Amino acid sequence: LDEIQLSKIKRSYLTFYRFLGETPVKQDEMSSKNSQYDENGYDIHIPFGTYYQQYRLSTSKDAFDGPLIAVGVVDLLPHCFSSVYAFYDPILSSSLELGKYTALREIEWIRRACQFRPELHFYYLGYYIHSCPKMTYKADYKPSELLCPVNLKWVDFEIGKKRLEERSP
């Protein structure tokens, strides 16, 4: 590889690392507490921050022994849980809807965590690109809203969808 190619590789890696490896989220007061799992293995007392969630096929009672099928990158913030990015096993994702699976698991985590974090109100599914078929599953979750890029206000999904279809190139 020449210097130009190495420079491009380094820039790509740094961009990727900044997107998925760094977190601007400050740890909260819960960071000093030990992990506390509920009866189904959900650690609902984790501090604010960025996390990588592993999704595995369970082959026994031990949920951590099966093959890795997906990874989700999430931000836990004071008032919301944000699904930043997810990537999946390429073979399984062709036959299973792993985006929906990870979203449902995240929703279940929030449902459990709300019992101990009453300020946790919102779940963000991340970016929605109306013309991207891989992202259309996000429209299946109701109620939902889209952030208008023009006035930066939240609008009901159905209203936003209609505007996208009328005005988007």
Side-chain angles (χ1 to χ4, degrees), residues 20 29-30 64 93 98 108 137 153 163:
L20 294 179
E29 68 280 353
M30 297 181 87
F64 302 109
S93 66
L98 295 176
E108 178 60 16
Y137 74 91
K153 294 188 179 181
R163 289 181 187 164

Side-chain angles (χ1 to χ4, degrees), residues 91-144:
I91 296 169
L92 289 175
S93 66
S94 65
S95 59
L96 301 174
E97 297 183 49
L98 295 176
K100 287 185 178 184
Y101 175 73
T102 58
L104 290 172
R105 292 295 302 252
E106 291 169 358
I107 290 167
E108 178 60 16
W109 186 92
I110 295 163
R111 189 185 70 76
R112 292 168 183 269
C114 281
Q115 297 171 33
F116 301 96
R117 297 174 187 242
E119 71 283 359
L120 186 60
H121 297 289
F122 303 103
Y123 173 54
Y124 294 107
L125 277 164
Y127 288 109
Y128 174 79
I129 300 172
H130 190 62
S131 60
C132 180
K134 289 185 176 184
M135 291 192 172
T136 57
Y137 74 91
K138 295 177 182 187
D140 293 340
Y141 298 91
K142 308 274 191 255
S144 62

